[in-house]
Amino acid sequence: MDAIDSACAVVEEHHPDARAAFLGGSVVTGRRTAMSDLDIVVLLNGAPAPYRASIRHGDWPVELFVHTETTWHAYVEREVRKRRSPLLWMCADGLLLFDTDGVGARVAAEARKLTGAGPPSVSAEEIDDRRYAITDLLDDLSGSIDQGERLFIATELARRTGELALAIGGSWNGGGKWLARRLDTTAPGLSTRLHQAVREVLEGQVEPLISVVDEVLGQAGGRLWVGYRRGGRMP
């Protein structure tokens, strides 16, 4: 059974009273792989929404994201503030499988409006937090002589540097494969350069990664350590 038919069968089996459903994720794009799952957003009138579940349907791994119209808006609002909302993008770019009463069309329109408007701006405080964390990791990398430590420092540097590039580029954030995909648009070539630099760290050369990271840091004001300060919160 193909992806669309399987997704419809999943919704019919688990929520035959659903108002609307979307099929999102890699499976509806040209980036589909043999391991792609079915990411399905289901909209109900009420309980048991909201919930998320991982199930299997035939040969398909399935991720269900079940909401009411109200909880969809609440979750998206919270995620958008973090500039990372898989739920939003599944409905903006996904396939509307069915729509019994117009709620699917409303959600899709709102999702496309929000993604088109772009993420909220990044505060100067957040940029400084990111600069400080990356600077600290650079010092760790320069001082480390342990290959195991270097592995984890380098991969953490690559991730944080990618996230900083997205933040200063005004892009939506992403995790895992979506971090690489967002970088392909916002900072073309950076993901490839970070990948190569991390490999060189594992071969004993830290300078190429330091160079790439410093280049991105330079776009945000450079390294930050001395003078950095954040107030604590009362328990």
Side-chain angles (χ1 to χ4, degrees), residues 16-74:
D17 57 344
R19 300 172 66 189
F22 295 83
L23 175 61
S26 301
V27 76
V28 294
T29 73
R31 293 179 180 268
R32 175 176 172 176
T33 72
M35 298 302 293
S36 291
D37 57 10
L38 302 180
D39 293 322
I40 306 173
V41 178
V42 181
L43 296 173
L44 305 179
N45 275 311
Y51 76 88
R52 174 178 175 173
S54 299
I55 62 174
R56 181 166 288 277
H57 180 85
D59 293 331
W60 287 103
V62 180
E63 293 273 12
L64 281 174
F65 303 84
V66 183
H67 285 276
T68 66
E69 186 173 6
T70 299
T71 67
W72 183 90
H73 282 282

